[in-house]
């Protein structure tokens, strides 16, 4: 709903990451693709050529600056940036673009068509090294197009900016975090899409599914993001703005006070021990998580490292990255999930196109198709496991065969490690239970896994056949659906039978009401975003384990998610009645 054209108007969306942010909008428009309508030339050939040369200079200068910094931090990143520089300044590519401009098209059209031609050539190559360059090429095309439009490499995101975009990639979110971006408004995206999860991990207020975000908000508008209520207020009046700025101040005070919050083992009110760990995307988040009371790291999304580098990192870069995470965790155990690539995650720059990537070469399937990537990652994890308590976890297992094949590769890595170093550290191997097939065959899988971690985001997506990234069906996706609860229950029984721990690292663990269900179902621990640790710790302390178990019997017999919600409401009411 919008009141007036540019003054104080409200937009509604889905609350994806709680909290409030107030700042200036940076609207990020998507770059053109080959089949989109490209703009006509703005002037004659000389003017268009000059526009292209300027854009080229802007991108090359920026790359040079970043590459200097990267040389000290990461050899892999630095070599990628060198490749980007080579592409942007390549004399043959430049003269081909200038030649196209001379034929009367705009700089945009010349860039898009020439880069697409190069792309097709690379994809047709039999050499995988060349095919791998496609991703770099796409990235540079995007940067040149942005530079043409704005005169800068990317929109001016900085401390306090509110980024408004159709969807934000994990790669951009990682750099936004370093820049201090304070809020997101996205046109697309569901509550459990990875963009939303990363926003929660960084504690950045976010509203997704704001359909008219790209037209109703203009660059430089003053914007309030209310990620708790799912509201965006554009150009607020003075009273509204001061009210929200006050909420921001209170929010900051609360965060500062949490920093010195409670730590140590967590128990329910009747003494059941529940482990409380944190989900992590980048090393910087680990000390924060430990300060906020995490007993360990229950999930490191290692694919985020690929997102930062835009490439599969070398073994040395991996060892450095994992080492930083372990150092931040002090003596606490860290669970590294091997790369979960594909679907809405990280762009692998793959040479194939999948019509249905969520059901395609994702997670363990991708790694088994490219076992060298898995091998290098396991070798890097074995390196850090020598000095820290480290666990390894496999994503998206759906068959026993996948688990056995992965184990075989990991065993070979162990042998290789022993040959090189004379011994091999302990590296417990667990699996994510996030497909219905894995939950339904959890008893078979439990014989070959040291632990289970239930990924309720994907388990819900695949059980209800509903895309977690698609805002149009966000009312269907519901982890409280009895079908999901029954799969969790089967998983817990199988784990108990095998005597292995079973935890939950999906977003359900922090969902209001769901914690009692999970404890009642018998999970031994949860892993949540850092900024949810405090609240989840407090709520675990209020759960009565035996009452939660009794409630779960009723919940499992429900026919719909609505009936489960009603069951939780009654349970909550009687618990509060009991306390009064
Ligand atoms: C999950 O699916 O619940 C999970 C934790 O993994 P991700 O969100 O990274 O897919
Ligand atoms: Mg998952």
């Amino acid at each position: 709903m919008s009141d007036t054209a540019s003054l104080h108007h409200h937009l509604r969306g889905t609350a994806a990451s709680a909290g409030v942010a107030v700042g200036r909008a940076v609207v990020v428009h998507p770059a053109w693709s080959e089949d989109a309508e490209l703009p006509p030339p703005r002037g004659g050939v000389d003017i268009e050529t000059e526009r292209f040369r300027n854009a080229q200079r802007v991108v090359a200068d920026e790359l040079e600056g970043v590459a200097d910094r990267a040389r000290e931090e990461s050899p892999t990143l630095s070599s990628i940036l060198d490749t980007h520089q080579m592409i942007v300044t390549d004399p043959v590519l430049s003269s081909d673009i200038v030649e196209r401009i001379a034929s009367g098209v705009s700089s945009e059209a010349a860039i898009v068509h020439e880069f697409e031609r190069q792309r097709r050539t690379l994809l047709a190559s039999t050499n995988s090294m060349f095919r791998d360059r496609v991703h770099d090429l796409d990235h540079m095309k995007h940067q040149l197009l942005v530079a043409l439009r704005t005169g800068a490499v990317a929109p001016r995101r900085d401390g306090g900016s509110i980024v408004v975009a159709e969807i934000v990639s994990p790669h951009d979110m990682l750099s936004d975090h370093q820049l201090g971006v304070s809020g997101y408004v996205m046109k697309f995206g569901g509550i459990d899409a990875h963009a939303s999860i990363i926003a929660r991990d960084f504690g950045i207020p976010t509203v997704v599914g704001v359909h008219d975000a790209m037209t109703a908000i203009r660059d430089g508008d003053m914007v309030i993001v209310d990620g708790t209520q799912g509201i965006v207020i554009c150009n607020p009046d003075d009273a509204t703005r001061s009210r929200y700025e006050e909420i921001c101040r209170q929010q900051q005070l609360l965060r500062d006070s949490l920093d010195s919050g409670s730590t140590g083992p967590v128990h329910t009110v009747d003494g059941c021990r529940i482990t409380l760990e944190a989900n992590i995307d980048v090393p910087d988040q680990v000390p924060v998580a430990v300060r906020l009371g995490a007993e360990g790291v229950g999930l490191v999304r290692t694919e985020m490292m690929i997102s930062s580098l835009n490439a599969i990192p070398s073994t040395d870069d991996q060892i450095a990255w994992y080492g930083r995470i372990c150092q931040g965790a002090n003596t606490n155990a860290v669970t590294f999930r091997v790369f979960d690539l594909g679907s809405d995650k990280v762009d692998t720059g793959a040479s194939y196109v999948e019509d249905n990537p969520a059901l395609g070469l994702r997670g363990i399937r991708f790694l088994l198709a490219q076992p060298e990537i898995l091998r290098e990652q396991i070798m890097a994890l074995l390196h850090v496991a020598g000095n820290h308590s480290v666990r390894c976890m496999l994503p998206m297992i759906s068959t026993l065969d996948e688990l056995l094949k992965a184990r075989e590769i990991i065993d070979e890595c162990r042998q290789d490690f022993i040959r090189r170093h004379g011994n091999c550290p302990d590296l417990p191997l667990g699996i994510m239970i996030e497909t219905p097939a894995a939950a339904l065959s959890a008893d078979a899988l439990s014989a070959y896994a040291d632990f289970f971690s239930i990924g309720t985001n994907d388990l819900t997506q695949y059980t209800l056949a509903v895309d977690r990234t698609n805002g149009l069906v966000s009312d269907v996706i519901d982890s409280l659906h009895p079908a999901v609860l029954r799969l969790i229950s089967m998983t817990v029984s199988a784990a108990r039978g095998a005597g292995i721990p079973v935890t939950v690292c999906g977003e359900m663990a922090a969902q209001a009401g769901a914690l009692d269900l999970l404890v009642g179902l018998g999970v031994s621990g949860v892993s949540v975003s850092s900024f949810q640790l405090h609240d989840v710790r407090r709520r675990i302390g209020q759960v009565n384990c035996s009452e939660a178990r009794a409630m779960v019997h009723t919940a499992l017999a429900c026919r719909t998610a609505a009936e489960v919600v009603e069951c939780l409401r009654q349970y909550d009411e009687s618990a509060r009645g009991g306390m009064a």
Side-chain angles (χ1 to χ4, degrees):
M1 181 187 67
S2 92
D3 299 329
T4 53
S6 64
L7 289 172
H8 193 115
H9 56 278
H10 286 62
L11 307 169
R12 286 206 167 270
T14 306
S17 176
V20 164
V22 181
R24 294 267 169 213
V26 174
V27 184
V28 184
H29 292 279
W32 285 283
S33 64
E34 194 180 24
D35 37 4
E37 201 175 310
L38 290 156
R42 291 204 189 159
V45 170
D46 288 351
I47 291 182
E48 283 301 318
T49 309
E50 187 55 21
R51 285 184 68 225
F52 164 62
R53 292 287 184 206
N54 277 341
Q56 195 181 25
R57 242 187 322 273
V58 165
V59 177
D61 286 354
E62 210 263 352
L63 280 170
E64 206 174 297
V66 188
D68 278 347
R69 269 181 278 141
R71 259 182 272 285
E72 286 157 28
E73 288 169 20
S74 155
T76 306
L77 179 58
S78 151
S79 85
I80 291 163
L81 293 171
D82 287 345
T83 309
H84 288 177
Q85 236 165 346
M86 267 162 52
I87 294 173
V88 168
T89 54
D90 180 44
V92 180
L93 182 71
S94 303
S95 75
D96 286 347
I97 290 172
V98 169
E99 216 169 282
R100 281 179 188 269
I101 292 173
S103 75
V105 300
S106 64
S107 303
E108 285 86 351
I111 290 170
V112 167
H113 289 124
E114 187 52 35
F115 270 76
E116 286 304 324
R117 190 183 71 79
Q118 299 271 355
R119 191 176 205 277
R120 283 193 295 275
T121 313
L122 286 183
L123 284 180
S125 166
T126 48
N127 183 330
S128 71
M129 239 175 63
F130 286 130
R131 288 198 307 271
D132 288 348
R133 292 278 80 87
V134 164
H135 192 75
D136 300 307
L137 203 66
D138 287 347
H139 189 59
M140 285 303 96
K141 177 184 83 175
H142 180 86
Q143 292 290 46
L144 283 169
L145 291 173
V146 171
L148 272 177
R149 184 165 34 213
T150 65
V153 168
R156 298 141 280 108
R157 304 167 183 214
D158 52 27
S161 302
I162 306 288
V163 171
V164 181
E166 289 194 344
I167 188 86
V168 184
S169 72
H171 172 79
D172 286 340
M173 292 182 99
L174 298 182
S175 57
D176 285 350
H177 171 61
Q178 281 162 354
L179 293 172
V181 161
S182 63
Y184 286 111
V185 179
M186 298 186 211
K187 177 177 175 182
F188 301 122
I191 191 166
D192 281 341
H194 286 94
S196 303
I197 292 176
I198 296 169
R200 286 197 284 277
D201 286 354
F202 283 120
I204 301 179
T206 299
V207 181
V208 300
V210 182
H211 303 299
D212 40 0
M214 305 301 287
T215 45
I217 306 175
R218 289 179 302 202
D219 240 346
D221 276 351
M222 176 55 66
V223 171
I224 294 170
V225 182
D226 184 337
T228 309
Q229 299 195 64
I231 296 171
V232 178
I233 305 172
C234 205
N235 296 317
D237 56 39
D238 288 348
T240 312
R241 184 170 164 183
S242 348
R243 186 160 52 84
Y244 271 99
E245 280 174 344
E246 180 52 29
I247 298 175
C248 284
R249 265 190 295 279
Q250 296 299 333
Q251 190 176 275
Q252 194 50 49
L253 286 176
L254 181 68
R255 282 207 174 160
D256 295 345
S257 73
L258 292 185
D259 246 15
S260 50
S262 34
T263 52
V266 194
H267 295 92
T268 63
V269 74
D270 50 346
C272 298
R273 172 86 170 94
I274 304 290
T275 57
L276 177 61
E277 296 181 303
N279 294 345
I280 294 298
D281 308 301
V282 290
D284 295 354
Q285 291 170 334
V286 188
V288 180
V290 172
R291 272 205 313 277
L292 293 174
E295 297 177 53
V297 178
L299 167 65
V300 181
R301 290 186 166 95
T302 60
E303 59 276 5
M304 291 302 153
M305 186 179 15
I306 299 178
S307 211
S308 326
L309 296 170
N310 249 331
I312 307 282
S314 66
T315 311
D316 284 349
D317 273 355
Q318 290 190 47
I319 293 171
W321 203 82
Y322 304 148
R324 279 175 60 205
I325 288 180
C326 290
Q327 255 164 21
N330 297 327
T331 51
N332 300 311
V334 179
T335 309
F336 289 96
R337 180 177 70 190
V338 292
F339 301 135
D340 183 8
L341 297 168
S343 195
D344 75 315
K345 297 233 166 173
V346 179
D347 184 359
T348 53
S351 54
Y352 46 81
V353 176
E354 291 183 289
D355 283 341
N356 212 341
L359 299 180
L361 212 50
R362 182 190 161 181
I364 195 66
R365 297 174 191 167
F366 177 91
L367 293 174
L368 291 176
Q370 305 221 29
E372 254 335 289
I373 296 178
L374 178 59
R375 272 197 193 96
E376 282 188 10
Q377 191 169 19
I378 298 297
M379 291 306 273
L381 287 176
L382 286 171
H383 261 99
V384 286
N387 299 320
H388 300 272
S389 169
V390 166
R391 299 179 288 229
C392 172
M393 181 157 77
L394 305 174
M396 292 294 298
I397 291 284
S398 48
T399 68
L400 177 60
D401 216 32
E402 287 166 346
L403 174 56
L404 295 180
K405 279 191 188 138
R407 280 196 80 102
E408 213 175 286
I409 293 172
I410 293 168
D411 284 342
E412 283 165 15
C413 291
R414 287 198 174 102
Q415 296 310 320
D416 192 14
F417 200 92
I418 292 171
R419 266 194 302 278
R420 292 185 203 195
H421 304 279
N423 57 20
C424 185
D426 200 24
L427 184 66
L429 179 68
I431 61 171
M432 296 277 298
I433 301 286
E434 51 186 347
T435 66
L440 290 162
S441 38
D443 48 357
L445 296 169
S446 66
Y448 299 93
D450 296 317
F451 61 92
F452 285 162
S453 182
I454 304 175
T456 50
N457 310 335
D458 279 313
L459 186 60
T460 308
Q461 153 165 270
Y462 292 116
T463 303
L464 302 179
V466 53
D467 180 355
R468 61 193 269 194
T469 69
N470 186 341
L472 296 175
V473 286
S474 55
D475 55 333
V476 185
I477 196 151
D478 194 341
S479 305
L480 296 181
H481 193 289
V484 178
L485 301 187
R486 285 173 205 148
L487 291 173
I488 296 176
S489 174
M490 292 182 77
T491 305
V492 172
S493 309
R496 287 240 169 117
I500 59 173
V502 55
T503 57
V504 174
C505 64
E507 299 295 298
M508 184 183 180
Q511 193 182 323
L515 189 66
D516 297 64
L517 267 173
L518 295 174
V519 172
L521 282 162
V523 306
S524 51
V526 291
S527 186
V528 299
S529 296
S530 300
F531 292 103
Q532 294 166 326
L533 283 164
H534 177 78
D535 195 39
V536 173
R537 171 182 286 273
R538 182 183 56 77
R539 287 195 276 134
I540 294 174
Q542 292 170 348
V543 176
N544 183 308
C545 213
S546 41
E547 283 172 13
R549 275 191 214 122
M551 175 268 287
V552 154
H553 280 293
T554 318
L556 285 171
C558 288
R559 296 166 304 171
T560 63
E563 286 183 7
V564 174
V565 171
E566 177 54 21
C567 164
L568 284 172
R569 196 192 59 76
Q570 287 181 13
Y571 158 83
D572 195 44
E573 214 170 73
S574 74
R576 271 189 285 117
M579 277 193 298

